[in-house]
């Protein structure tokens, strides 16, 4: 590629070089350097045409020296001048080397040559130009060794051109003088003048005018005049040179000047048809070259018919507003503004060529770069492919190496494994064995003998002998396993059983093994191990004991109970009974005497039950104070069982030197085999137990199907109640007046809740309050009751201007709520209560659960100034001792006392006593359930403060309270 480029570059350089030297190169070949040429000009050196002629001729013979001699015959037109010129030339020619060619410009020079040829020039070849005289040319022809060009004139064609250019022209002025050439040309023109039509012709011979007169004359001519100038050098008073003539015409003539020679066109004259001086000089130059190269010229070389050309001054064409199209096609326009490009055409061509070359070079370079890039890309691609291939090879080599390494490792592992297996077999603590059924070959590990004793080695030769060592209870399951193995049901086995070891005791072992069979499915080999699992088995037993047994009583626990029940359900036995026994008020015992005592108590009870020697299939403690028993009625009669159990509660238990009476409730489910599942069984005995407790402790209840219904109803009621509370819909508060026994004025009311159930109508609080307590619904319900009661109290205050005390019943569950006090205080503030406007009633059941915390809470309420009443006093523990410790303001004697107060003396006395104690403790006393005047009288005498009962009013709706209070006024 690069060599190609070099070639292109070199060739281009050569082309440019040749082009720039084309002329010189072709000429210098033939002309020798020592040639000499003489140039004789008819005129002076200032004559414009001379310089032009000289340069053009010189360009044809650039290396040849040309000597110039000026005759100046135009200026000095006399013989003396000619004589002097002759002398000078004669002197010069005699004292210098001979000329090889003489150039003769214009008629006078040729005439001089021809006149003095023999003396001065001998037969030196000569070239003439600018010759219009036919005589001279004829003479030259006769001489025979010179050649040249005749300078013809074209006056008629010039006049026709002028007419064409300005068709308004009427006048033709022919200007000439008396010089030889001029006279000659004028004569020629005169002979042809008939050819000119439509023009007034005036002939002006300048010799007839002074310069001034001439100026005036030409100044009168209008612009449409055609001035044909033959010559105007000679005037009456003086002779002028070309420049001066041109100047006169330029300044004074209004019309353009048409000379018959080209001389002056471009310097002021307008246009002409004439011999082109440059062409003529070029022709002459060629003849000089011929004379120098060939050594001679001939008369046949004379050019008589050099064609005339139209020549015009372009700047004047433009100045006079003449269209160029009027001129003939090949007209030469001179004096045009030559553009830089034209002037420096050669340089521009060189530059252009250089640019072209550069462009070619750049293009080639560019293509080269593209091609190289492409190759580079291809190379890169190839390289990448190669690299990828290399990597592939490398990675597969790696893989191969890895595989080889892996193989090696595997081999090592296999070897190690073999070794290890041998070692394991020898050293294992397990008793390994391998029995071949075909060869009867056996193999046992050392530990095997250590376990069974070496003397027993023979035993294993025969499987049936080995069976003798197995615990009789476990033999069946092993036989079954072997049976399954032979029947193809299993191929791997795993068995736990006891065998007689060398110490002659049974130990637990785990046998695992695999059976190998031949093609026919016959067992041919068994391989396996025996592991001694005695320790594990013992631990399992212990864990089982912990998981299934209760540590306090050593009886089965709930898990065990469930297990047993499950098994019992599976058995087909009828009349199986399950019984749940619950110690009454065990919590009270626990709280009072402490947990240690409680535990002792439970252990003692369990011993007592066991000591009854009833044939239970299960006896266990399945909860805190709950015992479960399972037995079959066919073995123990149910009534006998109940009788025997309750016998226990008749005598006190002696625990840690304390004697304690106790009682219990029992729920019983007969023939539980009928049940579907354990859950049902558990639910049903729970229901029975619940019923027993509800019916007032110390009782046993046998489950009946309708109990289930009750429970379901209870659940549905609970749902209804939840809805009622959530939607505040169906719950109403009734208010029962409480009267001051002295004034018999109503001081307050007890708020009592009612529930209008959409399906069952009005439901008693005795029925739904326990439900609400059990389900926790009492908390939201209690809040609603408190809020409603407070709002009612506020309303009463507003309507009657008096603060009535509204007593609200608060259940134990409510007090246990950790937020109780906080919620109460917030409500109290929100409803804008004063302490007198609200009171609370509690029952002794509060004391049964978390006594201390309840007391603290009540104290906080009391500190607010709120009165607390102990409701239903006399029905529970009713310990007067407690009263001291409790934050109580009022004792509310239960209705049952009032009921009997008239008729039963003891009750009356007791009531009186209670009132006295209360007064001592500075408590007020309320009597509730007062139904008649008698009762009222008695309690008034006893000093009771407040009364409440149907005698005064039943609990009233809000409306009825209004009526009631109106009536009282
Ligand atoms: P209690 O707190 O002992 O309420 C007194 C009960 O005795 C009311 O029954 C009342 O109607 C009734 N009673 C009042 N004077 C007489 C009378 O002269 N003769 C008869 N035979 N009965 C009379 P009630 O309204 O059925 O309430 C029953 C129980 O329901 C209440 O017993 C109370 O323990 C509970 N309870 C009622 N309302 C509420 C409550 O708003 N909250 C709580 N936690 N428990 C309430
Ligand atoms: Ca009450
Ligand atoms: Ca009561």
């Amino acid at each position: 590629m690069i060599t190609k480029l070099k070639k292109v570059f070199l060739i281009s350089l050569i082309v440019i070089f040749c082009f720039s030297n084309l002329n010189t190169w072709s000429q210098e070949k033939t002309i020798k350097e020592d040639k000499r040429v003489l140039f004789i000009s008819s005129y002076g050196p200032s004559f414009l045409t001379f310089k032009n002629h000289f340069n053009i001729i010189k360009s044809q013979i650039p290396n040849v020296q040309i000597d110039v001699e000026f005759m100046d015959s135009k200026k000095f037109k006399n013989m003396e001048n000619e004589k002097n010129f002759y002398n000078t030339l004669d002197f010069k020619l005699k004292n210098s080397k001979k000329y090889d060619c003489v150039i003769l410009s214009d008629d006078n020079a040729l005439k001089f040559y021809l006149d003095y040829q023999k003396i001065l020039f001998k037969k030196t070849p000569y070239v003439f130009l600018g010759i219009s005289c036919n005589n001279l040319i004829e003479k030259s022809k006769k001489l025979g060794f010179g050649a040249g060009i005749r300078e013809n004139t074209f006056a008629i064609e010039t006049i026709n051109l002028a007419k064409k250019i300005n068709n308004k022209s009427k006048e033709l002025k022919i200007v000439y003088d008396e010089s030889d050439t001029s006279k000659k040309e004028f004569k020629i023109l005169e002979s042809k003048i008939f050819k000119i039509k439509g023009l007034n012709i005036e002939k002006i011979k300048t010799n007839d005018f002074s310069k001034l007169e001439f100026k005036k004359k030409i100044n009168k001519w209008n612009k449409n005049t055609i001035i044909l100038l033959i010559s105007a050098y000679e005037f009456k008073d003086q002779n002028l040179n070309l420049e001066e003539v041109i100047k006169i015409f330029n300044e004074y003539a209004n019309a353009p000047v048409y000379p018959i020679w080209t001389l002056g066109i471009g310097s002021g004259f307008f246009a002409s048809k004439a011999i082109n001086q440059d062409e003529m000089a070029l022709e002459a130059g060629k003849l000089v070259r011929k004379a120098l190269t060939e050594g001679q010229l001939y008369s046949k070389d004379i050019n008589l018919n050099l064609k005339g050309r139209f020549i015009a001054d372009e700047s004047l064409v433009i100045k006079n507003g003449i269209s160029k199209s009027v001129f003939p096609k090949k007209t030469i326009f001179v004096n045009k503004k030559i553009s830089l490009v034209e002037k420096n055409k050669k340089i521009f061509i060189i530059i252009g060529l250089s640019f072209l070359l550069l462009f070619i070079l750049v293009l080639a370079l560019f293509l080269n770069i593209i091609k190289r890039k492409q190759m580079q890309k291809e190379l890169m691609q190839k390289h990448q492919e190669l690299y990828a291939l290399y990597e592939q090879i490398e990675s597969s080599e790696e893989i191969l190496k890895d595989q080889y390494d892996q193989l090696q490792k595997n081999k090592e592992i296999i070897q190690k494994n073999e070794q290890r297996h041998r070692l394991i077999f020898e050293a294992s603590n397990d008793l390994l064995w391998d029995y071949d059924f075909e060869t009867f070959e056996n193999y046992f590990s050392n530990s095997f003998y250590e376990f069974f004793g070496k003397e027993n080695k023979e035993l294993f030769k025969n499987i049936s002998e080995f069976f003798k060592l197995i615990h009789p209870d476990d033999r069946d399951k092993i036989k079954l396993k072997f049976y399954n193995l032979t029947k193809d049901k299993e191929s791997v086995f795993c068995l736990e059983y006891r065998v007689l070891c060398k110490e002659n005791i049974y130990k637990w072992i785990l046998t695992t093994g695999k059976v190998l069979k031949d093609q026919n499915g016959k067992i041919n080999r068994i391989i396996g191990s025996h592991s001694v699992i005695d320790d594990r088995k013992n631990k399992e037993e212990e864990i089982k004991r912990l998981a299934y047994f209760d540590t306090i009583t050593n009886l089965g626990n709930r898990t065990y109970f469930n297990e047993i029940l499950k098994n019992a359900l599976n058995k087909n036995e009828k009349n199986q009974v399950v019984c749940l026994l619950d110690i009454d008020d065990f919590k009270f015992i626990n709280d009072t005497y402490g947990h240690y005592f409680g535990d002792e108590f439970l252990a003692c009870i369990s011993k007592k039950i066991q000591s009854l020697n009833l044939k239970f299939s299960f006896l266990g403690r399945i909860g805190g104070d709950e015992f479960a028993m399972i037995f079959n009625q066919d073995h123990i009669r149910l009534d006998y069982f109940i009788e025997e159990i309750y016998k226990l509660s008749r005598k006190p238990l002696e625990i840690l030197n304390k004697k304690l009476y106790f009682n219990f409730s029992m729920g019983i489910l007969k023939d539980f085999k009928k049940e579907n599942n354990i859950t049902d069984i558990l639910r049903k005995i729970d229901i029975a137990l619940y019923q027993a407790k509800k019916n007032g402790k110390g009782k046993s209840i046998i489950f009946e199907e309708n109990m289930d219904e009750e429970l379901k109803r209870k659940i549905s009621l609970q749902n209804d109640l939840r809805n009622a509370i959530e939607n505040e819909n169906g719950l109403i508060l009734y208010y029962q007046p409480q009267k001051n026994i002295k004034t018999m004025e109503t001081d307050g009311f007890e708020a009592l809740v009612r529930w209008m159930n959409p399906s069952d109508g009005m439901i008693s609080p005795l029925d739904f309050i326990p439900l609400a307590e059990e389900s926790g619904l009492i908390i939201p319900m209690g809040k609603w009751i408190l809020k409603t009661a407070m709002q009612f109290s506020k309303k009463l205050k507003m309507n009657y201007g008096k603060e009535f005390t509204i007593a609200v019943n608060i259940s134990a569950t409510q007090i246990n709520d950790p937020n109780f006090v906080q919620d109460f205080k917030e409500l109290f503030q929100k409803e804008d209560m004063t302490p007198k406007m609200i009171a609370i009633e509690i029952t002794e059941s509060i004391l049964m659960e978390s006594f201390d915390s309840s007391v603290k809470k009540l104290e906080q309420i009391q500190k607010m100034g709120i009165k607390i009443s102990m409701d239903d006093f006399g029905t529970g523990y009713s310990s007067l001792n407690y009263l001291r410790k409790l934050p109580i303001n009022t004792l509310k004697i239960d209705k049952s006392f009032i009921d009997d107060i008239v008729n039963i003396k003891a009750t009356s006395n007791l009531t009186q006593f209670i009132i006295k104690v209360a007064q001592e403790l500075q408590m007020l006393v309320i009597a509730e359930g007062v139904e008649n005047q008698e009762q009222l009288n008695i309690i008034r005498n006893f000093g009771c403060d407040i009364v409440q009962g149907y005698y005064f009013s039943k609990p009233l709706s809000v409306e009825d309270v209004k009526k009631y209070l109106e009536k009282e006024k």
Side-chain angles (χ1 to χ4, degrees), residues 391-421:
E391 274 191 350
Q392 224 172 339
I393 291 168
E394 210 175 34
S395 71
S396 41
E397 209 171 275
E398 252 168 54
I399 291 170
L400 269 170
K401 198 176 164 294
D402 282 352
Q403 280 174 350
Y404 176 76
D405 286 351
Q406 196 61 42
L407 265 170
Q408 280 295 335
K409 266 184 208 159
N410 285 350
K411 207 172 138 191
E412 274 169 33
I413 289 169
I414 290 167
Q415 277 173 351
K416 265 187 197 159
N417 277 348
E418 267 174 16
Q419 216 171 12
R420 194 178 292 145
H421 284 146

Side-chain angles (χ1 to χ4, degrees), residues 37-41 50 53-54 57 66-69 103 105:
V37 172
L38 175 67
F39 190 119
I40 302 173
S41 170
F50 159 72
H53 288 169
F54 180 87
I57 293 166
I66 306 176
D67 297 334
V68 186
E69 295 296 335
I103 300 164
S105 172

Side-chain angles (χ1 to χ4, degrees), residues 43 53 104-107 128-133 149-151 181 261 277 280:
Y43 313 108
H53 288 169
L104 303 160
S105 172
D106 251 41
D107 293 352
F128 57 84
L129 67 158
I131 306 302
S132 54
C133 180
I149 301 101
R150 184 166 77 181
E151 189 176 6
T181 335
W261 290 289
Q277 295 295 318
M280 187 170 68

Side-chain angles (χ1 to χ4, degrees), residues 427-468:
S428 173
N429 284 328
D430 285 353
L431 326 167
L432 304 176
W433 54 275
D434 183 347
Y435 188 86
D436 195 319
F437 277 76
E438 277 166 5
T439 60
F440 303 110
E441 254 179 49
N442 301 300
Y443 187 80
F444 302 103
S445 63
N446 289 336
S447 45
F448 199 92
Y449 301 112
E450 277 165 28
F451 183 75
F452 287 106
K454 278 225 181 326
E455 61 280 11
N456 284 330
K457 192 175 178 178
E458 290 304 309
L459 284 176
F460 309 114
K461 296 252 156 139
N462 190 335
I463 294 268
S464 57
E465 284 298 308
F466 179 68
F467 259 83
K468 288 177 184 166

